[in-house]
C-alpha cells in the first residue's frame, strides 16, 4: 500500500523509516556509486531530509519499504536549485511546483512499485494544487519512466550516455493516470482511499485552496 508520511512523523513508522533509509544507501551508494553519505546505522540521509519533506512510500505487507520518493515545495530550499542550477535557466520557485527526489526502489521491486509511486505523485498533484514536479534523474531512469507511462519534459542535461544527468518537469495527465494505475495494479479508487487515509479529503481541499 502507499503511505504518505512527513519526516516529522517517521517515528510512527520505525520499520518503514529504517528500511527506507537503508534501501536508499543500497541503491545510491552501493549500486549506483553516488557520492552520498551513509551513517553508522547504514542510513543514506542528506540535508533535505531535515526540511520535513513529504515521503510517498510503498509499504510491503510486512511493514518494510518497497520504494519511495521525497517531495519538497520549491518555495523553500531544493536540490535542483542549489546543486543543479547550471542545467536550468534560472531558479525554479513556485507554490505550484514541488521537487521530487530520491526515487528509490528496493532490490527486486517489481515494476508495479515504481508505477504505484507515480500514482501517489499524481494524488499529490490533484489534491494539493500542484501543477508540476521537478526533479533530477539519470539515464537509467528514462527507461523506467517510459515503461510506467510517466516521462518528463527535459529542461536541461549534462553528460552523455549512462553518465547523463537531466532535470525534468512532470505534469498530471488524467489519461496517463489510468495507464499508471493499471501498471501498478491499483484501482484509482483505492489510490484515493490511501491518500484520504493519510490526509482526509477536507485537509487536501483546504491545502489546495490556500496554495
Amino acid at each position: 500500500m502507499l503511505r504518505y508520511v512527513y519526516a516529522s512523523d517517521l517515528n510512527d513508522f520505525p520499520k518503514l523509516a529504517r528500511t527506507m533509509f537503508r534501501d536508499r544507501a543500497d541503491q545510491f551508494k552501493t549500486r549506483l556509486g553516488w557520492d552520498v553519505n551513509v551513517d553508522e546505522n547504514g542510513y543514506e540521509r542528506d540535508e533535505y531530509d531535515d526540511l520535513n519533506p513529504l515521503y510517498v512510500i510503498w509499504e510491503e505487507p510486512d511493514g518494510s519499504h518497497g520504494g519511495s520518493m521525497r517531495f519538497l515545495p520549491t518555495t523553500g530550499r531544493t536540490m535542483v536549485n542549489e546543486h543543479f542550477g547550471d542545467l536550468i535557466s534560472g531558479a525554479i520557485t513556485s507554490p505550484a511546483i514541488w521537487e521530487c527526489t530520491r526515487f528509490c526502489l528496493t532490490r527486486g521491486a517489481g515494476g508495479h512499485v515504481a508505477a504505484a509511486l507515480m500514482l501517489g505523485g499524481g494524488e499529490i498533484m490533484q489534491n494539493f494544487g500542484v501543477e508540476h514536479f521537478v526533479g533530477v534523474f539519470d539515464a537509467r531512469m528514462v527507461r523506467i519512466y517510459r515503461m510506467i507511462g510517466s516521462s518528463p519534459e527535459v529542461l536541461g542535461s549534462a553528460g552523455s550516455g549512462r553518465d547523463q544527468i537531466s532535470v525534468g518537469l512532470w505534469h498530471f495527465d488524467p489519461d496517463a493516470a489510468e495507464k499508471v494505475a493499471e501498471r501498478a495494479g491499483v484501482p484509482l479508487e483505492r489510490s484515493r482511499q490511501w491518500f484520504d487515509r493519510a490526509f482526509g479529503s477536507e485537509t487536501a481541499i483546504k491545502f489546495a485552496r490556500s496554495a
Side-chain angles (χ1 to χ4, degrees), residues 12 15 35 45 61 101 106 134 141 143:
D12 294 337
K15 183 174 183 178
D35 183 19
R45 290 176 50 88
T101 54
T106 190
V134 64
M141 292 300 301
R143 178 185 61 82

Side-chain angles (χ1 to χ4, degrees), residues 39-90:
D39 67 17
E40 65 277 8
N41 296 313
Y43 298 170
E44 188 281 308
R45 290 176 50 88
D46 65 17
E47 58 194 301
Y48 301 97
D49 290 301
D50 296 329
L51 301 179
N52 199 30
L54 173 61
Y55 301 98
V56 176
I57 309 172
W58 178 260
E59 181 180 7
E60 297 292 353
D62 66 353
S64 66
H65 168 266
S68 55
M69 300 187 296
R70 180 180 68 186
F71 294 90
L72 282 167
T74 61
T75 50
R77 292 182 56 205
T78 60
M79 182 181 291
V80 67
N81 286 333
E82 296 182 348
H83 296 281
F84 297 94
D86 57 321
L87 302 185
I88 54 179
S89 57

Side-chain angles (χ1 to χ4, degrees), residues 110-165:
H112 70 286
V113 177
L117 293 175
M118 290 296 182
L119 197 59
E123 294 289 357
I124 292 175
M125 281 189 171
Q126 290 183 87
N127 294 287
F128 281 176
V130 179
E131 296 177 4
H132 294 91
F133 292 140
V134 64
V136 179
F137 62 95
D138 59 22
R140 73 185 177 90
M141 292 300 301
V142 174
R143 178 185 61 82
I144 295 175
Y145 294 145
R146 187 181 301 119
M147 175 185 69
I148 61 181
S150 184
S151 296
E153 172 191 351
V154 177
L155 302 181
S157 301
S160 60
R162 294 171 60 90
D163 296 324
Q164 187 175 67
I165 298 294

